[in-house]
Amino acid sequence: MTDRVSTEIRGSVAEITLNSPDDDNALRPELLDGIIEAIDAAEADGTVKAIALRAKGTVFSSGAALDIVAKFGMDSIAGRLVEAQRRLVASPLPTVAVVEATVMAGGFGLVAACDIAIAADDVDFRFTEVRNAVAPAAISMTVLARTNPRLITELMLTGRSFTASEAVDAGVITRTVPRAVLQEHVARTLSDLTDASAQGLRETKKLLNADIHAALITKGGERAALGAKLFNTDEAQKRLLAE
């Protein structure tokens, strides 16, 4: 497994951590592959009943790794991002995103793919795609399924920063709590999940995520291709190189 993603089993919880703070946990092939491998390992471990997805550093994820996009195009990332989201959605294990740092662009796909997302109240969020001449295509299936259409329209079209409270209103995250009690709240949520029946969790999650999973399967390839196509345009390349 890549060192950009680490996993630790704590009781009945697999804690999967994006461990690449040096590049703001940018979505590069090895990081996305690492997430998928970590999910595989958690599902294969008979003691695990839930997954917590965390990130080290001041940014949960900054979105696509621009150095990879510049060298190889977005094609090497978009399909993997769709698959990482699909695996989080389809996993029989309930997933909790623990958001302690800024979320941008493609990072929203990972948060939205989790069943529950809990953020510290001082975290900020931003859909940066529109300002870079691209669109949030590869994350659209998960994000749009979770969110308030009116508010998410404003946030995606303006690309402005928004608060954790606004993220709750938009449906981007489940709830926000003061940073001082975030870990306590996350631990309580995970305890509630692991106290439940594995069969009950699995079957309930199937019902809750059926439409999202179907969209990822039927539309994922098309949306990944659209995202890659937009990143590869002259206008997008000009804006991204200016970053």
Side-chain angles (χ1 to χ4, degrees), residues 56-137:
K56 288 186 178 178
T58 58
V59 179
F60 184 91
S61 178
S62 59
L66 299 185
D67 59 328
I68 298 297
V69 174
K71 289 180 183 178
F72 306 108
M74 185 62 179
D75 308 72
S76 62
I77 297 173
R80 283 180 168 92
L81 176 54
V82 169
E83 179 60 12
Q85 293 171 88
R86 190 194 70 78
R87 290 304 311 279
L88 287 165
V89 166
S91 176
L93 303 172
T95 53
V96 178
V98 184
V99 183
E100 302 174 74
T102 300
V103 182
M104 295 186 284
F108 283 100
L110 300 178
V111 173
C114 290
D115 302 302
I116 299 168
I118 305 170
D121 60 359
D122 56 354
V123 170
D124 62 298
F125 301 79
R126 187 174 183 181
F127 289 98
T128 55
E129 291 89 347
V130 70
R131 300 195 178 195
N132 289 323
V134 297

Side-chain angles (χ1 to χ4, degrees), residues 2-58:
T2 175
D3 58 5
R4 292 183 182 274
V5 176
S6 62
T7 304
E8 184 174 357
I9 307 299
R10 295 178 181 269
S12 300
V13 177
E15 295 205 348
I16 300 174
T17 302
L18 309 187
N19 190 32
S20 188
D22 55 309
D23 67 355
D24 292 333
N25 296 305
L27 303 179
R28 54 184 67 246
E30 56 267 38
L31 182 139
L32 292 165
D33 288 345
I35 293 171
I36 293 167
E37 291 169 11
I39 296 169
D40 285 341
E43 291 175 358
D45 186 315
T47 67
V48 172
K49 294 185 69 177
I51 291 172
L53 181 65
R54 298 178 176 270
K56 288 186 178 178
T58 58

Side-chain angles (χ1 to χ4, degrees), residues 89-228:
V89 166
S91 176
L93 303 172
T95 53
V96 178
V98 184
V99 183
E100 302 174 74
T102 300
V103 182
M104 295 186 284
F108 283 100
L110 300 178
V111 173
C114 290
D115 302 302
I116 299 168
I118 305 170
D121 60 359
D122 56 354
V123 170
D124 62 298
F125 301 79
R126 187 174 183 181
F127 289 98
T128 55
E129 291 89 347
V130 70
R131 300 195 178 195
N132 289 323
V134 297
I139 63 172
S140 60
M141 290 81 65
T142 53
V143 174
L144 297 183
R146 305 284 195 198
T147 52
N148 170 341
R150 272 299 188 191
L151 188 46
I152 204 68
T153 296
E154 181 210 344
L155 298 175
M156 283 187 171
L157 288 178
T158 63
R160 69 172 176 83
S161 294
F162 57 101
T163 65
S165 177
E166 288 179 294
V168 173
D169 292 342
V172 170
I173 60 171
T174 307
R175 64 177 56 87
T176 179
V177 298
R179 184 173 290 272
V181 297
L182 176 64
Q183 303 309 327
E184 176 186 340
H185 190 91
V186 168
R188 188 162 58 247
T189 299
L190 289 166
S191 178
D192 288 341
L193 291 170
T194 57
D195 283 346
S197 155
Q199 175 174 288
L201 291 170
R202 180 183 68 246
E203 297 304 320
T204 300
K205 181 168 175 174
K206 275 186 188 177
L207 290 172
L208 291 168
N209 289 347
D211 290 345
I212 302 175
H213 191 230
L216 285 163
I217 291 173
T218 61
K219 300 177 182 177
E222 168 197 327
R223 299 288 172 85
L226 172 60

